[in-house]
Structure formats: C-alpha cells, structure tokens
Amino acid sequence: MINGIKPLERSLRWGMVGGGGTSQIGYIHRSAALRDGTFSLLAGAFDIDAQRGRLFGQSLGIAAERCYPDYATLFREEAARVDGIEAVSIATPNNTHFAICQAALAAGLHVVCEKPLCFTVEEAQALVELSQKQHKIIGVTYGYAGHQLILQARQMIADGLLGEIRIINMQFAHGFHAAAVELDNPSTRWRVDPRFVGPSYVLGDLATHPLFLAETMVPQLKVKRLMCSRQSFVKTRAPLEDNAYVLMEYDNGAVGSLWCSAVNSGSMHGQKVRVVGEKASLEWWDEQPNQLRFEVQGEPVRILERGMPYLDPIALADDRIGGGHSEGLFEAWSNLYRRFALAMDATDRRDRNFLADFWYPDVAAGTMGVRWVENCVRSADAGASWVEFR
Ligand code: NAD
C-alpha cells in the first residue's frame, strides 16, 4: 500500500516542457509527479508563449530565472547548474515530441513523454538508441495503465484463470468531437491538423491507450497482421480520421478488434478492454476504474473491487486508500510517476536486476504505439487491406 513514505531517499530534480496554464494535461502531470515526493518541480518552459509560460511557472512557485522561454534554453541553462534538473516531462502538441525528447536525452535528462512518442518507427528507434547510449529512460504517459485493476487483470491472465486467450475487444470511443468543435477550441484544433499530429487523429490520440492496456494485460500476444478502415465524419478533418475500426490477428491464433472514435455521440469516454479466454473473460471500463468484471463460463458474474484483500499483491501494492473508497485517474497517474521515478533511480544506479522485472510504460511501449498507428494508416490507405505487421 502507498502511504506517503517516500520510495526514494531524495526527490528527483524535475522540469516540464509544455503543460502550461491553458493546457489540458499539464496539471495532472504535476499532481502525479509531486504526489509522493519523488519529484521536485524546479524549472520549465511551460508555454509556446514565453511570457505567459514565465508568469505561469512563477505562479507555481518556481524561481523566475528557471522559467525559460523555450526548451533549448531550459536544457542548456539547467545543464550548466550544479543543481540542474535530472528529468523532464514533455506535454506539448504531438509534432514537437520527437525533437524535444531527442534534445532532452542529449542533455542527459530522463524523459517522461506524452503519447504519441513521435510519428515514425525510425524516429522511435532513434530515441531508443539515444536513451540506451545516454543511460536514461523514456516513460510514456499511458495514464490509464496506472489503475490497479489493470495489473490485477495481467496477473489473472498470467495465472491461467482465463485459459488460452482467444479474443480481445478494445475501444476508446467518445462523442466530444461529434461536431467541428475545433473551430472554437484551440486544444482540439491542432489535433485535427496533420501538421501537428502527423498521419492520424483518433488512432494516435485515442486508440493507443486501450492498445497499451491490452498489451499490459496480455503481454505474450504479438500482432501478426491487421486491417484498418478509417473515416472522417466531420468532412473538414479529412484526411485525418475521427473514427476507425481495426481488426487484428495475433501470433497464437487470437483475434482482436479496436474501435476508436471522437464522434460517438453521447459517449463520455467509452474506453473498454474485454479479454476473452477459453474458460472466462475479463472486462475493464475506464469510467468505472475501481471494478473489474470476471466472468467464468457457466457461473455468476464476479465484480472484483479495487483495494480488496482478495486481489493479487501486484494490484494491492499501488492501493492508496483501501477498498470501497473510489480512486481515479489522478491516482493512476501518480502510480505511473512513482514507477517512472523508481526506474530513473535504478537506471542511474545501473541496477539491471531491479529493472528486469519492473513494469512501467517505457520506450518500447511508446514505440509499439507508433508502429501500430503506422501499420493502421498503411492498411487504411490501401483501401482497408490486411497488412503484415512490421
Ligand atoms: P493543449 O493544446 O491543451 O496544451 C499544449 C501546451 O503546450 C500549451 O500550454 C502550449 O502553450 C504548450 N506548448 C506548445 N508548444 C510548445 C513548445 N514548443 N514549448 C513549450 N510549450 C509548448 O494540449 P494538451 O491537450 O494538454 O496535450 C498535450 C499533449 O498531451 C499531447 O501530446 C496530447 O496527445 C497529450 N495528452 C495525453 C493525454 C493522456 O491521457 N496521456 C491526455 C490529453 C493529452
């Protein structure tokens, strides 16, 4: 159980790029990183608007001279300080992730990067190589994966409670962009512009979340081939899709489907993962993250509740308040940031034994997301053809 005792003897000196006062995602990064005392926020280049970013950083209590106008200055000036930052989080629009990640690693920083990590597999591989060369980690904020019942599902599947896995149904289908809201909303505008998001909208923005949840639950399954059909229901978004269906075949003969959509009118989030085995199924829904459905063929449905003693120790390790009390996305992200800190510390100590079994959304997970989107786009653009996964 997590009870506020710091898991490390010190706090990692931490900075942010993006995540400014007007951003959607900046606050949850800060809340999660600061929750357990594993990070101290000491510097940042928080905003594309330098002056706004400086004022925002100061309002967070950061020294004026450490609120920088841009990420290049942040990395250069901090590297010159004996108490400079050791880690940085990148929470900017997607087209900037690759360059900022590269610059951060080159400056000797550990990185937490928003998804998608970058736009091409070549870029992802370059980041993998640079992170290895620099002995620094890249964590990716697939935030929902920090919910405790995801690791419970992983353990139950590993323990064989479902039998051989046959089917994985995934979806992340909300309705918030059923109309052209980007006309009035700057945070949505860049999401439907290829200059900022590359080759996809909902495949990269939404689908990689349940894809990673399924990978976490069933890590042994590898995608063999897939087929993707994508649509732009709000016509001005073409060629970017606001809805897509993906069918997948895995190497063990299992099949999967993923529906991602921003035009699922009336739906809040609609993110679900259902794993079907030969004996039983598991289902998790991000709008009810404290419950996991366990359905054994021929028996009444069981709803497993977060924080209860019947859960596996792997799920209870991240419990913060005990069963019955609801935890949410902020706790899930805190669990991930705690893991990022432990991975950074172990990497600095070259502790290979610790890292060998230590799970967190890492650069391989980020690379898989990029690779999967690339394959989906290749399939969709070839008229929704089956393509070998490469
Ligand atoms: P946003 O448009 O609301 O905010 C972007 C922020 O980045 C703003 O503060 C902007 O001023 C700043 N910025 C832009 N370019 C910059 C630069 N070059 N240097 C410094 N700051 C810069 O976007 P958002 O919704 O917060 O999304 C940011 C990232 O987070 C995206 O990659 C998005 O995909 C990701 N995101 C992830 C999740 C998740 O669940 N993991 C959820 C939402 C968004």
Side-chain angles (χ1 to χ4, degrees), residues 20 23-25 47-48 92 94 97 114-115 141 187 190-191:
S23 75
Q24 181 185 30
I25 208 67
D47 205 298
I48 189 74
T92 52
N94 304 358
H97 294 173
E114 268 303 345
K115 36 57 60 175
T141 39
S187 192
W190 64 256
R191 283 175 158 81

Side-chain angles (χ1 to χ4, degrees), residues 149-200:
L149 292 172
I150 302 302
L151 290 183
Q152 173 69 21
R154 176 187 176 93
Q155 192 59 46
M156 291 172 73
I157 292 166
D159 289 344
L161 296 183
L162 275 60
E164 183 74 17
I165 302 305
R166 292 174 168 169
I167 300 163
I168 308 182
N169 274 354
M170 294 156 268
Q171 66 172 64
F172 194 158
H174 68 67
F176 285 95
H177 303 163
V181 294
E182 56 268 31
L183 297 177
D184 298 318
N185 183 336
S187 192
T188 308
R189 198 171 305 140
W190 64 256
R191 283 175 158 81
V192 294
D193 182 338
R195 289 173 301 169
F196 291 90
V197 295
S200 78

Side-chain angles (χ1 to χ4, degrees), residues 49-264:
D49 178 322
Q51 175 62 1
R52 205 168 53 176
R54 189 180 297 279
L55 290 175
F56 179 69
Q58 288 178 251
S59 77
L60 296 176
I62 296 169
E65 72 275 15
R66 296 179 86 173
C67 298
Y68 299 96
D70 54 67
Y71 71 86
T73 314
L74 164 73
F75 298 157
R76 190 181 62 246
E77 299 286 318
E78 286 293 310
R81 297 178 67 112
V82 286
D83 62 349
I85 57 170
E86 304 160 84
V88 68
S89 291
I90 300 168
T92 52
N94 304 358
N95 61 317
T96 62
H97 294 173
F98 175 64
I100 302 176
C101 260
Q102 229 180 3
L105 291 169
L109 301 175
H110 290 293
V111 177
V112 173
C113 187
E114 268 303 345
K115 36 57 60 175
L117 186 57
C118 49
F119 289 158
T120 68
V121 171
E122 286 71 28
E123 288 174 348
Q125 279 164 346
L127 293 177
V128 170
E129 282 163 27
L130 188 55
S131 69
Q132 286 167 348
K133 177 169 165 254
Q134 298 288 79
H135 296 289
K136 299 296 164 192
I137 74 150
I138 303 178
V140 181
T141 39
Y142 288 126
Y144 308 97
H147 284 291
Q148 294 144 45
L149 292 172
I150 302 302
L151 290 183
Q152 173 69 21
R154 176 187 176 93
Q155 192 59 46
M156 291 172 73
I157 292 166
D159 289 344
L161 296 183
L162 275 60
E164 183 74 17
I165 302 305
R166 292 174 168 169
I167 300 163
I168 308 182
N169 274 354
M170 294 156 268
Q171 66 172 64
F172 194 158
H174 68 67
F176 285 95
H177 303 163
V181 294
E182 56 268 31
L183 297 177
D184 298 318
N185 183 336
S187 192
T188 308
R189 198 171 305 140
W190 64 256
R191 283 175 158 81
V192 294
D193 182 338
R195 289 173 301 169
F196 291 90
V197 295
S200 78
Y201 168 32
V202 289
L203 288 162
D205 197 49
L206 302 177
T208 51
H209 281 295
L211 183 79
F212 181 65
L213 294 179
E215 275 168 44
T216 302
M217 291 180 187
V218 204
Q220 68 273 23
L221 290 198
K222 303 295 172 221
V223 181
K224 218 176 62 176
R225 56 181 204 139
L226 62 71
M227 188 265 268
C228 173
S229 167
R230 60 175 180 163
Q231 299 75 36
S232 316
F233 282 107
V234 174
K235 297 296 173 211
T236 47
R237 293 175 183 159
L240 297 183
E241 77 290 346
D242 50 23
N243 188 80
Y245 292 99
V246 184
L247 288 178
M248 283 172 271
E249 290 178 358
Y250 295 94
D251 56 354
N252 74 333
V255 290
S257 70
L258 199 159
W259 174 34
C260 53
S261 184
V263 296
N264 181 18

